[in-house]
Amino acid sequence: MIRMIMSRFLIKSAWIAVACLAAVSTGCVPNPSAEFAWRDSTTDLIKDARSSLQNTVNENFGTPDDLVAWERLPVNYGGIKGTVAAAPEGTELTPGEFAFSHEGEGEVKPGDTVLWLSGEMAGKEATIQSADAATHLISLKAGTAPAEGTTFAVNFGDQLQLGRMVYMKNCLHCHGVAGDGAGPTAQYLNPRPRDYRLGVFKFTETLATERVTRDDLWRVIKYGIPGTYMPSFLLLDDHETTAVVEYVRWLAMRGELEKRLGDELTDYSQTSLTDQYNKAVESKKAAEAAGDKPEAVPSMSSLRNTAKDDFKEYAESDYADTVDSTADFIAENWTRADDPASVIHPAVARVADTPESRARGRLLYLSDRTKCYTCHGNTGRGNGGATEDFWPKPGSTEKYDARGLHDVWGNPLQPRNLRLGQYRGGRRPVDVFRRIYAGIKGTPMPAFGGTVLKDEEVWDVVNYVMSLPFESDASPSPAPSTKMAAHPVQ
Amino acid sequence: MRNAAVGKFWAIFFTAVAVLAVAVCVVAPDYGWWFPGDGRAHSTLGQKIDDLFYLILVIVAVTFIGVNAALGYILWHGASLPSDKKALFSHGSHALEVIWTIVPAGILLFIALYQMDVWAQYRIKNFYPKTMEPVAEVTARQFEWRIRYPARGKKLMPTPQPDDVYTVNDLRVPTGHPVSISLRSDDVQHSFFVPELRVKQDAVPGLVIPVWWEMTDIGSFELVCAELCGWGHYKMKARVVAMSDEDFEAWKSQAAQEQFYDGVSTKDGELVSQSEQE
């Protein structure tokens, strides 16, 4: 009897074990492959336009698992670039052997891949059998070496791939696979993580019209952004940081290309078709009301067919040029950002941080030349009158639902409370100078440098603003100060 | 006869398990299965904590080996008895019960009293070193460590000062004399844990908790958060860099200089770009 109970018990336990194993193993399915999500404006396009745009972006950027390095973009994809050199005198080279010279650091190792960048074999790859750093000779596993002067890259794209790895590990869960600021944890954060796809970054050292520099991104990754959820990644290796900076720039360029091409194609979107249809219906109604002979309303499908035909024509005539000029535009802008001429350097050293300078800064702060107080408030608490208004959306007369300021990403934005001593873009005086000089990109903070304020005056404002966290007698009462702000001269 | 063989097998088996456990323990430090880093504590108090740990380890090891040797012997002895011999059965021995109650109680009481000194030095203000240098205020927040130092030659104040020096995820401390930090939290509960110093202290919102230690070596040590503080807990890592007094002061001057950089610092009257300066 006991034996029977025991065996039943054993059978039961065996079943439980099998069930547990099954449960565990189903939890072990491989992750779904990562995908770059498309903008809503892209998925809104009619089928032909959408697939053209998606093909263009995919051809030039690839997918997260299969990156494409587009040479015309100013991205440092990594790898060693070299040139096939003349054979050294007195050396007999086999067909697969060649001498080379290379730029920059790095070592060519057996098993590495060579990508020919010029000559007859441009775009083709070969594997290295052996490489000698001393004699500068490479021999290939198969095939013949190209002519002297051919340029090549070894392990081209290494840096971008490392960047992707670092990004996937540390950045993706907030900033999203495509850098759209919509990762799984993004919804819990305020402020929202940056969406790179406009090519706009807030805290830069460049002029108001320029994009972000590599140095800026480097600093943000190393030191984080206090007051937001962007933490410091100080302990990443320098080469990892460099790589992830390139990857973020690359994602931003990808997003920009998609956005700009999408903007060119808005005529071929569902929204545009619906608009046309609604307009036709309305004009028909108006005509009927006026007693005129109404025009027939075209059906949605005929509108779609017209758009399809129009796009076909556009695709054959102009699309390639549009892609070309957009890519040029993006490449030029990103190249210019890293030009030293784009970086703001104050014309004069910091004006001595004296009570007089602060007083001058305070008057400027409260003046109608700068209107700082309208957003940051009379006492610098970030509670100016502008935070109580309803503001129109950019490029339209429609207003935001919520009171207060918004950034170009459509998120509500609090003007900074200057009394917290928290400096998101860095606390060095030059950082604050640049914030005032060039404004904060993507936000209503305007640029004052060069036009409204002289550099000395910007420094006065910097001195005043940086003294605010240590000022104890600020009147917090808003009512009388609003009156004062209206007549700053009296 | 067969029963005797089975009994001896189990005697050997259980003894072997114990021997294996001891052997693994003995080779563990060589394979890096022991304490983090090089296995030593790099703070004075950490070394005392390690001493306590090793004391307990010795007590436990002697007990473990003794118990297992006795167990092995009894199993072997029982298996060697002729099969017709009746097993000895005993129930209760007052003397034995008293012994194995009093001996462990005595050991526990000894440990409780012996460790009080270290505990007091670690946690009770009156037993802190008489002179110690408050080096920085460390503020934990999701998911990083923000650190504020007083300017060179000044004392750490409870509130921020205009000339304070700031770092993030990078705590610099001088070596060779006691230092302390003021530990705070900006948001939720965190825990300041430097395994190689054997220092661990929760950071509690609303409290400023002093934590002290004395570095014995120059070097860089990992600082991690040891209290699950949110989804980014795993990445809340920083470093504690122990420097000589001179290096620490020099570093602080340089950090202050970088922090008050105005973008114009001139070199031979020409503008120096940021990257060149750094």
Side-chain angles (χ1 to χ4, degrees):
Chain A
M1 187 64 197
I2 287 175
R3 186 159 288 183
M4 251 178 75
I5 291 173
M6 272 303 283
S7 67
R8 260 188 216 161
F9 173 74
L10 279 176
I11 289 167
K12 211 174 177 184
S13 346
W15 275 114
I16 291 170
V18 168
C20 285
L21 268 176
V24 167
S25 60
T26 48
C28 294
V29 292
N31 290 329
S33 64
E35 269 175 25
F36 290 133
W38 299 100
R39 301 188 78 87
D40 288 346
S41 61
T42 302
T43 44
D44 185 44
L45 295 175
I46 59 166
K47 200 175 151 229
D48 294 8
R50 185 174 67 225
S51 59
S52 293
L53 194 162
Q54 291 179 337
N55 284 343
T56 307
V57 175
N58 281 342
E59 256 170 46
N60 296 312
F61 291 90
T63 62
D65 297 321
D66 186 15
L67 306 178
V68 174
W70 200 10
E71 278 258 58
R72 68 196 286 178
L73 296 180
V75 176
N76 188 355
Y77 293 110
I80 303 162
K81 285 208 175 157
T83 315
V84 178
E89 274 183 41
T91 323
E92 220 22 60
L93 294 181
T94 59
E97 210 173 13
F98 64 95
F100 72 101
S101 63
H102 73 86
E103 312 151 15
E105 289 169 30
E107 200 187 337
V108 184
K109 292 181 296 296
D112 286 352
T113 309
V114 182
L115 173 69
W116 307 112
L117 297 178
S118 68
E120 283 172 14
M121 293 197 283
K124 290 194 175 132
E125 292 185 344
T127 310
I128 291 171
Q129 173 84 39
S130 66
D132 192 329
T135 58
H136 279 268
L137 283 178
I138 287 178
S139 79
L140 300 174
K141 249 183 190 151
T144 52
E148 189 188 326
T150 306
T151 51
F152 63 87
V154 177
N155 290 339
F156 181 68
D158 264 11
Q159 177 147 289
L160 193 67
Q161 289 191 30
L162 176 64
R164 172 187 59 187
M165 206 199 76
V166 176
Y167 185 89
M168 295 294 188
K169 219 165 149 183
N170 299 294
C171 320
L172 164 136
H173 61 76
C174 292
H175 289 288
V177 177
D180 51 7
T185 46
Q187 56 175 314
Y188 306 110
L189 309 185
N190 180 19
R192 282 298 172 100
R194 179 79 52 252
D195 173 0
Y196 310 140
R197 298 174 306 167
L198 300 180
V200 179
F201 291 81
K202 279 166 85 169
F203 307 111
T204 69
E205 56 182 3
T206 53
L207 297 165
T209 49
E210 303 298 340
R211 278 166 173 65
V212 69
T213 66
R214 288 179 167 100
D215 279 355
D216 288 321
L217 294 173
W218 172 280
R219 263 198 302 277
V220 163
I221 291 167
K222 281 285 183 190
Y223 306 120
I225 305 181
T228 75
Y229 270 98
M230 176 72 191
S232 150
F233 291 94
L234 188 79
L235 300 191
L236 283 183
D237 283 345
D238 281 359
H239 73 277
E240 288 178 316
T241 312
T242 313
V244 81
V245 164
E246 289 305 319
Y247 190 74
V248 166
R249 293 173 76 251
W250 181 80
L251 279 180
M253 292 178 212
R254 184 191 171 280
E256 239 191 296
L257 184 79
E258 188 197 342
K259 165 88 165 59
R260 286 179 186 278
L261 287 181
D263 288 351
E264 295 285 335
L265 301 180
T266 43
D267 286 351
Y268 314 108
S269 66
Q270 299 294 346
T271 315
S272 153
L273 295 185
T274 318
D275 279 356
Q276 281 177 41
Y277 180 78
N278 289 343
K279 258 184 207 154
V281 169
E282 251 163 56
S283 70
K284 187 185 170 200
K285 273 187 192 159
E288 276 170 352
D292 297 338
K293 189 168 174 270
E295 276 183 52
V297 175
S299 71
M300 270 309 268
S301 63
S302 76
L303 280 173
R304 191 173 295 122
N305 283 336
T306 319
K308 200 176 155 188
D309 292 343
D310 287 352
F311 179 76
K312 201 179 169 199
E313 199 178 306
Y314 174 80
E316 279 163 9
S317 57
D318 293 335
Y319 182 68
D321 287 347
T322 310
V323 172
D324 243 18
S325 60
T326 309
D328 281 345
F329 176 83
I330 293 170
E332 273 166 29
N333 276 292
W334 281 92
T335 310
R336 217 172 44 238
D338 273 302
D339 182 345
S342 301
V343 175
I344 299 164
H345 286 288
V348 289
R350 183 180 184 181
V351 172
D353 185 16
T354 55
E356 294 76 35
S357 167
R358 291 177 190 178
R360 285 195 302 272
R362 179 169 173 274
L363 285 181
L364 283 169
Y365 179 93
L366 292 170
S367 75
D368 277 334
R369 272 171 76 196
T370 63
K371 290 198 167 71
C372 300
Y373 64 89
T374 54
C375 295
H376 292 285
N378 297 322
T379 55
R381 288 177 195 278
N383 57 355
T387 59
E388 299 295 323
D389 292 341
F390 287 97
W391 291 88
K393 293 181 179 173
S396 80
T397 50
E398 195 192 340
K399 289 188 172 174
Y400 284 109
D401 298 336
R403 279 175 202 274
L405 302 162
H406 288 76
D407 58 24
V408 292
W409 296 275
N411 298 321
L413 192 67
Q414 204 72 52
R416 193 66 44 242
N417 178 350
L418 302 169
R419 290 182 174 266
L420 297 179
Q422 207 171 52
Y423 302 96
R424 292 191 177 178
R427 63 166 60 246
R428 299 175 306 172
V430 67
D431 293 325
V432 183
F433 182 95
R434 285 167 176 157
R435 291 303 87 77
I436 297 168
Y437 190 95
I440 297 176
K441 285 151 200 175
T443 76
M445 171 79 185
F448 294 99
T451 51
V452 180
L453 297 177
K454 293 200 289 279
D455 283 18
E456 291 85 345
E457 291 173 318
V458 176
W459 277 128
D460 287 334
V461 179
V462 169
N463 288 340
Y464 171 62
V465 165
M466 293 193 81
S467 75
L468 279 175
F470 307 104
E471 205 179 67
S472 53
D473 58 346
S475 148
S477 58
S481 52
T482 318
K483 223 173 180 180
M484 214 175 77
H487 308 284
V489 189
Q490 295 168 3
Chain B
M1 205 54 228
R2 200 174 145 263
N3 281 345
V6 171
K8 281 179 180 169
F9 166 76
W10 287 117
I12 293 167
F13 178 83
F14 284 115
T15 314
V17 168
V19 169
L20 186 70
V22 173
V24 167
C25 221
V26 168
V27 300
D30 292 338
Y31 284 87
W33 301 336
W34 209 237
F35 290 132
D38 60 4
R40 289 188 308 118
H42 295 273
S43 72
T44 49
L45 201 57
Q47 287 167 357
K48 288 187 188 165
I49 293 171
D50 278 7
D51 290 345
L52 285 179
F53 171 83
Y54 284 112
L55 172 75
I56 294 170
L57 185 66
V58 166
I59 296 171
V60 170
V62 167
T63 314
F64 182 79
I65 292 168
V67 166
N68 277 286
L71 179 70
Y73 168 75
I74 288 168
L75 285 176
W76 186 267
H77 179 75
S80 318
L81 288 177
S83 54
D84 58 346
K85 190 158 184 220
K86 212 177 170 187
L88 175 75
F89 180 78
S90 77
H91 178 75
S93 159
H94 189 73
L96 211 55
E97 298 260 359
V98 169
I99 290 170
W100 73 43
T101 306
I102 287 189
V103 170
I107 292 173
L108 286 179
L109 192 63
F110 163 72
I111 294 172
L113 295 173
Y114 188 79
Q115 58 81 40
M116 272 179 25
D117 236 14
V118 176
W119 178 254
Q121 281 182 38
Y122 192 29
R123 301 281 172 174
I124 298 172
K125 269 186 190 164
N126 289 348
F127 293 85
Y128 284 0
K130 290 288 162 289
T131 56
M132 55 183 189
E133 184 190 348
V135 279
E137 177 190 82
V138 176
T139 307
R141 70 177 206 111
Q142 290 173 320
F143 300 96
E144 62 185 6
W145 304 89
R146 293 217 160 244
I147 299 148
R148 177 173 69 86
Y149 308 83
R152 188 174 175 173
K154 295 215 178 159
K155 277 173 91 173
L156 180 69
M157 303 299 273
T159 54
Q161 304 298 308
D163 53 1
D164 282 342
V165 177
Y166 293 83
T167 61
V168 52
N169 282 356
D170 189 20
L171 174 59
R172 310 272 177 147
V173 291
T175 309
H177 51 90
V179 294
S180 74
I181 58 158
S182 308
L183 184 61
R184 324 171 46 132
S185 167
D186 246 6
D187 34 46
V188 298
Q189 196 169 323
H190 300 274
S191 183
F192 178 94
F193 182 30
V194 191
E196 285 163 89
L197 304 186
R198 318 284 188 257
V199 170
K200 188 193 261 181
Q201 171 62 54
D202 278 6
V204 183
L207 292 185
V208 181
I209 302 174
V211 185
W212 81 272
W213 67 87
E214 180 183 337
M215 304 290 320
T216 55
D217 302 277
I218 286 168
S220 179
F221 308 98
E222 196 170 54
L223 156 62
V224 292
C225 179
E227 179 72 54
L228 181 60
C229 58
W231 51 264
H233 169 64
Y234 68 97
K235 61 170 85 169
M236 195 164 162
K237 265 196 281 187
R239 64 177 180 221
V240 178
V241 180
M243 313 170 96
S244 67
D245 279 344
E246 306 84 69
D247 285 354
F248 178 68
E249 293 300 319
W251 165 79
K252 203 185 255 185
S253 298
Q254 206 215 329
Q257 206 187 347
E258 276 166 24
Q259 188 178 306
F260 290 99
Y261 177 61
D262 65 358
V264 192
S265 310
T266 49
K267 199 198 263 174
D268 308 330
E270 274 184 71
L271 291 179
V272 182
S273 82
Q274 156 92 46
S275 46
E276 280 173 71
Q277 238 227 354
E278 283 175 350

